[in-house]
Amino acid sequence: MNFIQTRGIDSARPATVTFSEAILAPIASFGGLYVPETLPELGHDFLEKHLNSSYKELAKDMLNRFEIDIDSEVIDEALNLYDKFDDGENPVPVVKVKENLYISELYHGPTRAFKDMALQPFGVVLSSIAQKREENYLILAATSGDTGPAALETFKNRANVQVACLYPDGGTSDVQRLQMVTEDAKNLKVIGIHGVFDDAQNALKRLLASDDFKAALKEKHVSLSAANSVNFGRIIFQIIYHIHSYLELVRQGGIIMGEKVYLNVPSGNFGNALGGYYASQMCVPVEKIIISSNENNVLTKLIKTGKYDLRDCTVVGTTSPAMDILKSSNVERILFDMFGYKRTRELMEDLENQNFYELNAEELTQLQTCFDADFCNGDEGKKYIKDTFEKDNYLMDPHTATCMKSYETCSNSTIKTIAYSTAEWTKFSPVIANALTGEEDAEDVVALESISKIASLTIPAMVKGLFSKAIAQSTIINKEDIEKEILVFI
Ligand SMILES: *Cc1c(COP(=O)(O)O)cnc(C)c1O
């Protein structure tokens, strides 16, 4: 299958590209993104067929239907990484929390957050494409805390790939920072920046667009790519777990085959939600996809009013930092799917030029047939964490907690909900400890211990081990020096 472009075709790029090409250079004509030419029609038969399949069997069949230009052995190697999850047989457990509410846990991978679901297999795929072409790639990543560890973990010691990962010094949790700075593989460079996440993100965007930087890399025979979720190589792995979660609900007797469900997704860059949308178009019976946000609630406003409005809008820091995003990149793929490339280009240009676009009434109706949304602030989130723990004996992280509000405000009680849990409690322990006991500003080590006692949960060895692991990466610099530092590393 080939890939087409969300904003139409300029004359500088081919009209369609292969999956490999879309992965290596994810930005399309006029700044658009790549999307599959058509989605495979899987239908009800596919669900029936995989009712008793393992996660990997389901994944393999779904990927085959996309007919991507990746060798079968590479796909097998990529999917085998799910064996490293807590339970290789069932890497994504789905847990019943209360009547009508099920939580699909996407965080059982090596870095304890949902980024592993896609980045683990993506690392194998990208490295294999680079090897086949005998090319070397530099992957740039900017992280507020979850993408960085997951990208480093997947690319460490892989051939033909180097990673430079930028994070805001002081802007991540201790566990997240230690996950990065204790990585000691030769092909990885972790760079702390004096500044906030936006500084890291802006530096990354500047470098990705800089011809001088690309020329300097070229002299060293290195090309540039990115591992954020605009890359379709990540999205494709995020369709699978939505199908799996639905089948899991059927297996558990929570629904009968064919029954519609809500998918409730804590959203930032909209990669997870987009995977759910594609799954619903391909085979999963979905009533609506509910988009949960924190105080950075642009998506709630878009879905409720049709206005994407960034005028007078700045990112606010929250207790769910992985969702502190205003320009949610993957919404563009929804616009394309619903309204076509001309309208998508028009809307995206409005956003870039005026920080604003507005859907017409018909378009808004169409959007609302598939999506609903609400947002939850930090204090409400902490209350949901405490209440759900005390009443339902289920412990969730602050990102997952944003789903609890929209679960109450957006869903009809006769329809079951699958909400997605995107991080383990260990990654955001100070906020959770605060929610449960009221203790303020605890360090991660202290918070982990107190939660572990209250909730009788074991701290996973990989998290506990971080605190005694040697620091391998100690670069902390000003943002002006990033380019120089990366070139020295290469
Ligand atoms: C990345 C992330 C999100 C947001 O996911 P998107 O696909 O960007 O919408 C939510 N929660 C956690 C914990 C994350 O790491």
Side-chain angles (χ1 to χ4, degrees):
M1 166 172 319
N2 282 327
F3 286 73
I4 53 174
Q5 315 178 43
T6 53
R7 300 189 198 178
I9 308 161
D10 62 17
S11 48
R13 288 178 180 77
T16 66
V17 300
T18 61
F19 180 69
S20 299
E21 287 162 337
I23 283 192
L24 294 176
I27 300 301
S29 301
F30 309 113
L33 304 174
Y34 286 104
V35 287
E37 208 157 20
T38 52
L39 285 173
E41 278 179 34
L42 302 180
H44 189 76
D45 290 352
F46 186 86
L47 293 177
E48 290 285 356
K49 175 179 173 194
H50 287 292
L51 187 53
N52 293 310
S53 297
S54 68
Y55 192 86
K56 283 198 283 181
E57 285 162 349
L58 167 70
K60 177 97 192 189
D61 196 7
M62 195 215 76
L63 293 169
N64 281 340
R65 306 291 181 100
F66 270 92
E67 297 175 23
I68 50 178
D69 60 332
I70 304 295
D71 295 337
S72 181
E73 304 79 69
V74 174
I75 292 185
D76 286 339
E77 189 193 337
L79 295 178
N80 282 341
L81 292 176
Y82 290 122
D83 293 343
K84 289 199 297 189
F85 282 49
D86 291 338
D87 177 358
E89 289 299 306
N90 185 12
V92 182
V94 179
V95 179
K96 181 170 181 176
V97 172
K98 57 183 167 189
E99 206 50 41
N100 290 335
L101 176 65
Y102 292 76
I103 293 193
S104 173
E105 298 178 343
L106 303 176
Y107 59 73
H108 290 274
T111 71
R112 318 315 291 170
F114 110 100
K115 299 297 188 286
D116 289 328
M117 290 306 305
L119 276 168
Q120 277 289 307
F122 177 77
V124 172
V125 171
L126 191 130
S127 165
S128 84
I129 300 171
Q131 288 173 62
K132 206 165 162 182
R133 297 179 168 227
E134 299 183 1
E135 293 171 350
N136 293 301
Y137 282 86
L138 170 68
I139 307 288
L140 285 184
T143 187
S144 64
D146 282 342
T147 302
L152 295 166
E153 181 65 29
T154 193
F155 287 116
K156 74 176 170 197
N157 299 320
R158 288 211 187 276
N160 301 48
V161 181
Q162 287 170 287
V163 180
C165 174
L166 311 173
Y167 73 94
D169 184 43
T172 69
S173 75
D174 293 342
V175 166
Q176 290 172 322
R177 182 179 51 82
L178 289 171
Q179 283 179 322
M180 294 187 275
V181 299
T182 56
E183 288 282 13
D184 64 354
K186 277 209 183 64
N187 67 330
L188 308 178
K189 178 78 187 175
V190 178
I191 302 173
I193 295 171
H194 299 299
V196 295
F197 171 63
D198 263 356
D199 296 316
Q201 172 106 319
N202 290 336
L204 176 129
K205 285 188 181 152
R206 235 184 358 261
L207 291 175
L208 284 175
S210 157
D211 290 332
D212 287 349
F213 182 61
K214 280 183 217 157
L217 290 179
K218 202 159 186 192
E219 263 175 41
K220 298 167 195 258
H221 307 286
V222 173
S223 312
L224 198 55
S225 189
N228 54 11
S229 70
V230 301
N231 199 313
F232 200 86
R234 276 180 58 179
I235 300 297
I236 200 167
F237 290 106
Q238 296 189 18
I239 304 170
I240 303 162
Y241 57 71
H242 292 286
I243 306 176
H244 160 86
S245 301
Y246 183 85
L247 290 174
E248 190 60 29
L249 232 63
V250 177
R251 287 191 279 266
Q252 293 180 15
I255 53 172
I256 54 168
M257 187 68 103
E259 190 173 334
K260 285 190 175 177
V261 295
Y262 291 109
L263 306 180
N264 191 325
V265 187
S267 297
N269 231 351
F270 216 80
N272 196 353
L274 179 71
Y277 175 77
Y278 285 150
S280 75
Q281 300 298 303
M282 285 160 60
C283 61
V284 176
V286 171
E287 175 68 19
K288 263 183 197 176
I289 299 171
I290 296 174
I291 303 302
S292 301
S293 301
N294 62 27
E295 292 91 327
N296 297 291
N297 58 358
V298 277
L299 293 172
T300 311
K301 288 186 190 149
L302 172 69
I303 290 162
K304 293 287 191 196
T305 69
K307 294 180 189 158
Y308 204 113
D309 194 352
L310 299 180
R311 296 169 300 188
D312 310 316
C313 204
T314 47
V315 185
V316 292
T318 69
T319 51
S320 43
M323 293 158 62
D324 293 349
I325 289 175
L326 292 179
K327 276 199 181 156
S328 182
S329 316
N330 280 300
V331 172
E332 177 165 355
R333 288 183 162 116
I334 301 287
L335 298 179
F336 175 80
D337 204 67
M338 293 187 167
F339 316 129
Y341 74 87
K342 279 201 189 116
R343 182 63 172 148
T344 303
R345 184 170 164 201
E346 195 173 272
L347 293 169
M348 294 312 293
E349 280 176 359
D350 283 353
L351 188 63
E352 270 150 35
N353 300 331
Q354 297 155 31
N355 269 325
F356 174 78
Y357 67 70
E358 181 167 10
L359 303 178
N360 65 36
E362 210 174 301
E363 290 165 342
L364 178 58
T365 306
Q366 198 176 339
L367 187 72
Q368 289 175 341
T369 55
C370 293
F371 295 99
D372 199 356
D374 203 352
F375 73 100
C376 173
N377 71 33
D379 286 339
E380 290 169 326
K382 280 190 270 188
K383 188 155 188 314
Y384 284 118
I385 292 173
K386 187 175 164 68
D387 285 355
T388 314
F389 176 65
E390 286 172 358
K391 289 188 198 133
D392 305 305
N393 196 26
Y394 187 84
L395 188 64
M396 61 178 59
D397 95 294
H399 300 77
T400 312
T402 62
C403 297
M404 298 304 288
K405 169 98 174 273
S406 53
Y407 167 72
E408 286 176 2
T409 58
C410 301
S411 26
N412 169 327
S413 63
T414 58
I415 298 170
K416 308 273 192 305
T417 292
I418 302 173
Y420 289 89
S421 180
T422 48
E424 187 177 56
W425 60 275
T426 55
K427 278 204 111 163
F428 300 95
S429 57
V431 177
I432 299 172
N434 177 250
L436 296 181
T437 69
E439 65 190 284
E440 303 265 2
D441 302 322
E443 288 188 23
D444 284 37
V445 239
V446 179
L448 284 167
E449 286 299 342
S450 65
I451 298 167
S452 152
K453 273 203 204 86
I454 298 166
S456 312
L457 290 166
T458 328
I459 305 168
M462 81 75 61
V463 174
K464 208 161 188 173
L466 286 172
F467 294 94
S468 52
K469 223 171 152 187
I471 305 291
Q473 310 262 1
S474 52
T475 307
I476 297 173
I477 57 178
N478 290 322
K479 54 190 174 185
E480 294 75 31
D481 300 324
I482 295 172
E483 179 167 348
K484 202 172 69 200
E485 190 71 35
I486 293 177
L487 289 173
V488 170
F489 161 61
I490 297 295

